[in-house]
Amino acid sequence: MAPAKFPIKDGIISVFSSTIHTYSSSLSMNQAIVAPIDRLSALLERFRVRAHLFHNGPLCGVTSFVAEPGRGFLHVLRCGDMVVTHRRHAGPPRRLEVREPSLLFYPRPLAHEFHNAPSEDADFTCASVHFDGGGSHPLVRALPPLVWLPLHQVEGLEQSLALLFAEAERVRCGHRLLADRLFEVVLLQLLRWLLDHPSQGGISTGLLAGLADPGLARALTALHEQPGEPWTLESMARRAGLSRSAFAVRFKSVVGEPPAAYLSNWRMTIAQAQLRTGHSVKSVADELGYANASALSRVFTQRVGVSPRAWLEQATSA
């Protein structure tokens, strides 16, 4: 007996295959959207942050920390309490009363004073924080002038601080170098916390707010990792899993500038860092996806206000 024929079979299979293909594409896109990404490494690999331990132990009386260009501070209050004061109109509150173990992070130059009665010592560890490029470092521009955070709020911080204080309190071979690296670990944990709790850290718009947004974070991280790619609004939106119009509106609202402007500014920040370390305009243009050195120079002059050569002369003299 001849096998029965089902004339609609091919059509059913075609529709079924199309449905499976559409579902698979959707699933792949959704998996790409929800898969975890590293939002900080590409940023910190290009623009490093270094910490240097300079104080450990009791802190008595009044201690002043002056503002110096390119230098911030990371303070860890291990026990005790103190009062912190700032100058009027500096940004942070004029007076803070710290009554529990806390981190105080000043990412940019800001004078401040710690007040402690001699009979009420506070165990304290301090590090100066130096950002590549000083005030042009993306994190310096994105962070609030002061981040004040109780230690218990940051998961995993206890282990890092135990190692930090162990190294800071005993003089052993390389203890200062190891303490510096551990301070950088603490700072990285603080930045992680800020990305997960931007509103609690006083961050509403800017780069960190964008990195805290799941969709925008994918686009921003891609820009940070591949600044020389021929990015378009459509390709950036695709990374975020959004339509072009929705992406453009959300990006400007959260980050504070249009996607194209952010990409151009990010490239110029990289260009400045590369020029400062001796790279030629041509090599920087090649890395950042510009057709030639002249094309980079035109955009650089528009964005920065002077040509790359003039900017480098000013930066070198400064």
Side-chain angles (χ1 to χ4, degrees):
M1 180 182 294
K5 295 182 180 181
F6 298 93
I8 64 170
K9 179 180 68 171
D10 292 340
I12 293 174
I13 291 176
S14 177
V15 172
F16 181 75
S17 299
S18 177
T19 302
I20 290 295
H21 176 74
T22 302
Y23 174 77
S24 299
S25 300
S26 175
L27 182 61
S28 298
M29 179 177 291
N30 289 335
Q31 286 176 334
I33 291 173
V34 301
I37 58 171
D38 186 343
R39 296 170 286 176
L40 284 175
S41 290
L43 185 65
L44 293 176
E45 284 168 354
R46 282 197 177 273
F47 300 96
R48 296 186 64 84
V49 181
R50 297 172 177 82
H52 299 288
L53 170 72
F54 68 89
H55 172 82
N56 179 68
L59 190 66
C60 303
V62 178
T63 305
S64 299
F65 299 88
V66 299
E68 291 186 5
R71 183 182 71 172
F73 290 101
L74 179 58
H75 306 294
V76 182
L77 177 66
R78 191 181 191 186
C79 65
D81 52 60
M82 63 183 181
V83 172
V84 186
T85 59
H86 308 95
R87 295 174 181 172
R88 295 185 185 279
H89 312 300
R94 179 79 176 87
R95 175 187 172 92
L96 291 176
E97 294 187 3
V98 183
R99 302 300 183 192
E100 61 181 315
S102 300
L103 285 173
L104 293 102
F105 177 39
Y106 294 85
R108 61 180 66 101
L110 180 66
H112 52 286
E113 292 184 336
F114 295 142
H115 304 256
N116 296 76
S119 60
E120 299 176 357
D121 293 346
D123 282 345
F124 211 68
T125 298
C126 304
S128 57
V129 180
H130 304 268
F131 295 87
D132 283 357
S136 65
H137 192 289
L139 287 179
V140 173
R141 298 199 302 260
L143 287 162
L146 168 63
V147 178
W148 171 25
L149 182 65
L151 299 184
H152 68 84
Q153 292 191 20
V154 184
E155 183 180 356
L157 193 59
E158 294 178 1
Q159 296 90 329
S160 300
L161 290 177
L163 290 172
L164 172 60
F165 280 102
E167 288 300 324
E169 291 170 355
R170 289 193 291 168
V171 177
R172 294 182 291 178
C173 294
H175 82 106
R176 284 183 300 175
L177 293 176
L178 187 52
D180 290 348
R181 301 294 80 78
L182 288 169
F183 251 116
E184 291 167 8
V185 170
V186 171
L187 178 56
L188 185 56
Q189 290 177 297
L190 172 58
L191 293 173
R192 281 179 175 176
W193 185 90
L194 287 171
L195 289 180
D196 293 334
H197 309 83
S199 60
Q200 292 175 251
I203 296 168
S204 56
T205 59
L207 171 58
L208 289 181
L211 290 174
D213 181 289
L216 297 183
R218 298 192 170 280
L220 284 166
T221 301
L223 299 183
H224 294 163
E225 293 177 343
Q226 305 164 31
E229 289 295 304
W231 292 104
T232 63
L233 180 62
E234 183 176 1
S235 62
M236 287 187 275
R238 191 181 307 120
R239 288 296 185 110
L242 297 168
S243 68
R244 289 189 303 171
S245 57
F247 173 73
V249 170
R250 185 189 296 185
F251 194 102
K252 185 173 182 180
S253 173
V254 175
V255 180
E257 58 184 331
Y262 179 87
L263 174 59
S264 183
N265 289 333
W266 171 245
R267 287 171 170 169
M268 292 307 100
T269 303
I270 294 174
Q272 289 173 318
Q274 296 289 66
L275 292 171
R276 193 182 290 111
T277 55
H279 290 74
S280 67
V281 176
K282 183 181 183 307
S283 68
V284 176
D286 291 341
E287 178 185 354
L288 297 181
Y290 291 96
N292 49 49
S294 297
L296 171 60
S297 295
R298 284 195 298 273
V299 177
F300 191 101
T301 303
Q302 292 171 357
R303 289 286 174 181
V304 181
V306 294
S307 68
R309 178 171 300 191
W311 177 86
L312 186 58
E313 290 176 354
Q314 294 174 5
T316 302
S317 62

